[in-house]
Amino acid sequence: MISLFENIGRYFMLLGKVFSRPEKLRIYNRRIWFEIEALGFNSISLTAIISAFIGAVVALQMAITLESPFIPKYMIGYATREVMILEFSSTVVALILAGKVGSNIASEIGTMRITEQIDALEIMGINSASYLILPKIVATVLFFPLLTLFSIVVGIVGGYAIAYFTGIMIPGDYVEGLFYYFEPFSITYAIVKGAVFAFIITSISAYCGYYAKGNSLEVGRASTRAVVASSITIMIFDLILTQIMRV
Amino acid sequence: MIRADHISKTFEGRTVLNDISVEFDTGKTNLIIGRSGSGKTVLLKSLVGLHDVDSGRIFFDDVCYTDLDFRGRKSIRKDIGMIFQGGALLDSSTVRENVRLPLDLFTEMSESEKRDRVDFCLSRVRLTGADHLYPSELSGGMVKRVAIARAIVLNPRYLFCDEPNSGLDPQTSVVIDNLIHDITKEFNITTIINTHDMNSVMEIGEKIVYIHEGHKWWEGSKDDILLSENPELNDFVFASAMAKRAKSVAR
Ligand SMILES: Nc1ncnc2c1ncn2[C@@H]1O[C@H](COP(=O)(O)OP(=O)(O)OP(=O)(O)O)[C@@H](O)[C@H]1O
Ligand SMILES: [Mg+2]
């Protein structure tokens, strides 16, 4: 328990270092673009594949569950849309990306730590925490909300595809459901969640890597710790955000 | 001049540096020698402030580095070049980007000035045509050269080298040693080199400090070192069978 508090304390101290005044904004701009490509663009295909499948499975599951003459058929499209927007796209995408982006960040920064690259930056007078971590945080906080929206769209298209190809429901009904009782705030909600989760994944993973010590075994452990810690934190914040942003 | 004044450093109750006082001279190649695990790297990192010492003070010329806050240290760090045991080049940057980074962050040079400066440093370490390679594509000797080029790109007043020629063949070692020695003279730098290579000691050692189990055990010049009666130092200096035989023949 003491070590948990110690870690939380060190985590916030690291954040303090990360957000202290950056060296030169121009350099940071370049690095942010680089990270958007490395962490964001490279996650698009994984997000697309998983979102399409989950969208299809959700629609199929709804079609089977709502098999009743008393429930209008458009409910399938409606339910699929709501599930994607409210829960799946932000949370599950964040969890999957914690495994990909989080472990990537932790092992990259961890390797830099044990091969003295971080010491080398410090010796040059560079604020290594800010130089390495800030661009990653900015890149993911900007890009993850977009990725969340993308996931919603792909998931809904996945549901349409399953309706179209299996004939288990009429595509027209599905589309009608998509436009049924739409609350625009739910999109804001998804975007906020995407940004918050991005911050959590990136900062916690960077923290795990930044304080790695020892050898390559430790880098592996750091990246496992990053995935576990960010996943758990995401679940906690999912609960908190759902409560405070209740639509 | 760099001076350590009674510095000690402990890791989890284990004393690694024990009350070390030593002075390193400007314009000279100062060598720290000692067995593996004797505390050379910890001493070097303590001097540059990568480890905080538990007690004692460190001076860079007349400034007490230990008492400075983050900002004060930062201004001194711009005058420090350091070559790490493993090179510590940034993996995700090319040779050119590695050498250029300090210029990007700390100078207002134009693109062409930066290019010239990087070219100059790379040619100074006799490394041309490797600009666009990544560290993983370089040989050990090339990594060391890039590390040297990066360390000197801002014209440092202090140069720290942690085993600059470990893992290199004897010929390349001599080249790297001479390079560091020449740069030291050329720019009047205070250079401190960690090594356990007796060849380096005899080639470029001007002031030599022998560390034994965290204590400063001996200091002197390379001429004194062969005549010293200090038993631990003798064991270290004449560790190889060949050196032992040479010594007995000489006697
Ligand atoms: N960060 C650290 N935490 C705990 N102990 C450390 C740390 N760094 C070094 N030590 C210990 O300090 C001692 C001296 O290590 P150091 O790296 O200075 O040796 P060295 O003289 O540089 O050896 P080599 O020639 O092999 O590089 C070793 O016993 C090492 O275990
Ligand atoms: Mg060492």
Side-chain angles (χ1 to χ4, degrees):
Chain A
M1 226 33 196
I2 290 169
S3 90
L4 176 66
F5 286 124
E6 224 177 81
N7 274 311
I8 293 175
R10 274 203 309 179
Y11 168 77
F12 281 107
M13 271 163 61
L14 180 65
L15 282 188
K17 237 182 122 188
V18 168
F19 287 101
S20 58
R21 212 176 70 82
E23 317 282 348
K24 260 194 183 173
L25 283 172
R26 200 152 30 87
I27 305 277
Y28 276 74
N29 280 341
R30 233 185 2 223
R31 289 189 53 81
I32 288 169
W33 279 111
F34 177 82
E35 298 294 355
I36 285 183
E37 200 179 313
L39 302 174
F41 290 0
N42 287 336
S43 302
I44 290 177
S45 49
L46 179 68
T47 307
I49 292 169
I50 295 183
S51 305
F53 274 96
I54 295 283
V57 170
V58 167
L60 199 55
Q61 197 60 255
M62 292 298 168
I64 296 166
T65 316
L66 302 180
E67 185 78 85
S68 151
F70 302 109
I71 301 173
K73 285 287 174 244
Y74 61 76
M75 284 309 281
I76 299 169
Y78 171 71
T80 306
R81 186 198 77 205
E82 289 296 283
V83 169
M84 290 307 293
I85 295 178
L86 293 179
E87 204 46 45
F88 173 72
S89 288
S90 41
T91 316
V92 184
V93 163
L95 285 175
I96 295 162
L97 293 184
K100 184 177 177 322
V101 174
S103 64
N104 175 316
I105 290 174
S107 54
E108 180 188 332
I109 295 184
T111 304
M112 295 188 77
R113 165 62 74 192
I114 64 160
T115 57
E116 299 182 316
Q117 292 176 51
I118 291 183
D119 285 343
L121 290 172
E122 288 286 326
I123 275 306
M124 291 180 214
I126 298 170
N127 175 348
S128 62
S130 167
Y131 181 76
L132 295 174
I133 301 174
L134 189 58
K136 290 185 197 295
I137 291 182
V138 174
T140 52
V141 168
L142 289 179
F143 199 78
F144 266 44
L146 295 179
L147 212 53
T148 308
L149 296 181
F150 173 70
S151 159
I152 293 171
V153 173
V154 174
I156 287 171
V157 171
Y160 181 83
I162 206 77
Y164 185 83
F165 287 114
T166 62
I168 195 165
M169 61 200 130
I170 301 158
D173 287 347
Y174 180 79
V175 174
E176 188 190 341
L178 291 182
F179 293 99
Y180 176 73
Y181 189 68
F182 180 64
E183 170 66 73
F185 181 71
S186 61
I187 294 288
T188 314
Y189 171 73
I191 288 175
V192 169
K193 264 180 150 182
V196 171
F197 294 162
F199 183 84
I200 291 171
I201 292 172
T202 312
S203 58
I204 291 184
S205 307
Y207 168 78
C208 291
Y210 197 80
Y211 287 107
K213 51 173 155 234
N215 50 24
S216 52
L217 277 179
E218 275 302 314
V219 174
R221 287 196 197 110
S223 87
T224 309
R225 262 200 307 275
V227 175
V228 173
S230 40
S231 304
I232 292 174
T233 316
I234 286 172
M235 295 324 292
I236 295 171
F237 273 84
D238 192 16
L239 200 63
I240 295 173
L241 288 177
T242 307
Q243 178 63 24
I244 57 179
M245 293 184 69
R246 224 163 9 174
V247 193
Chain B
M1 180 269 288
I2 295 172
R3 186 156 57 88
D5 199 14
H6 297 287
I7 58 170
S8 298
K9 175 74 189 168
T10 1
F11 286 111
E12 288 126 25
R14 212 155 46 90
T15 305
V16 176
L17 299 181
N18 203 330
D19 194 29
I20 293 187
S21 295
V22 61
E23 192 171 318
F24 302 99
D25 306 328
T26 307
K28 282 192 185 170
T29 44
N30 303 275
L31 264 52
I32 300 173
I33 61 172
R35 245 184 262 161
S36 188
S38 55
K40 301 185 297 296
T41 299
V42 174
L43 175 56
L44 209 62
K45 287 193 174 175
S46 301
L47 289 175
V48 297
L50 287 173
H51 290 315
D52 284 321
V53 290
D54 301 329
S55 61
R57 282 142 62 97
I58 293 154
F59 294 86
F60 280 67
D61 291 311
D62 292 325
V63 183
C64 179
Y65 188 60
T66 324
D67 292 345
L68 293 176
D69 61 357
F70 178 75
R71 192 165 307 170
R73 287 188 177 199
K74 199 167 154 175
S75 71
I76 289 200
R77 283 187 176 180
K78 283 172 196 167
D79 288 330
I80 296 179
M82 183 153 178
I83 299 157
F84 288 84
Q85 209 160 340
L89 303 180
L90 301 183
D91 286 328
S92 56
S93 308
T94 62
V95 165
R96 175 167 289 276
E97 287 161 358
N98 263 288
V99 179
R100 210 183 115 117
L101 179 65
L103 298 177
D104 284 339
L105 283 163
F106 300 119
T107 69
E108 296 300 330
M109 287 183 173
S110 69
E111 284 297 313
S112 68
E113 283 170 331
K114 283 183 198 162
R115 193 171 339 110
D116 291 347
R117 180 69 192 153
V118 173
D119 285 340
F120 170 79
C121 291
L122 286 174
S123 66
R124 190 67 195 75
V125 297
R126 277 181 258 141
L127 192 80
T128 41
D131 297 38
H132 296 291
L133 297 181
Y134 283 88
S136 60
E137 301 167 323
L138 303 175
S139 73
M142 290 160 93
V143 167
K144 295 281 158 110
R145 287 177 207 227
V146 179
I148 296 174
R150 180 177 68 180
I152 61 170
V153 74
L154 285 179
N155 279 322
R157 292 164 60 202
Y158 315 100
L159 185 62
F160 295 81
C161 316
D162 197 358
E163 313 216 0
N165 51 20
S166 64
L168 302 180
D169 65 87
Q171 275 179 318
T172 314
S173 296
V174 172
V175 172
I176 298 280
D177 278 345
N178 287 335
L179 192 58
I180 294 173
H181 180 259
D182 295 348
I183 290 169
T184 302
K185 295 294 164 194
E186 201 173 322
F187 304 108
N188 197 34
I189 301 172
T190 309
T191 300
I192 305 179
I193 305 172
N194 271 358
T195 185
H196 45 217
D197 180 5
M198 278 312 292
N199 262 328
S200 307
V201 174
M202 298 325 282
E203 284 278 338
I204 58 165
E206 290 181 274
K207 168 164 187 161
I208 296 147
V209 179
Y210 176 61
I211 303 290
H212 181 68
E213 291 174 359
H215 294 270
K216 186 181 83 176
W217 212 249
W218 183 89
E219 70 181 295
S221 72
K222 69 178 169 195
D223 301 322
D224 305 335
I225 205 169
L226 296 176
L227 303 171
S228 151
E229 297 295 331
N230 188 315
E232 286 81 14
L233 178 60
N234 262 313
D235 285 348
F236 179 83
V237 173
F238 299 104
S240 77
M242 198 189 67
K244 272 202 196 94
R245 185 173 296 164
K247 192 183 185 189
S248 67
V249 168
R251 289 216 164 139

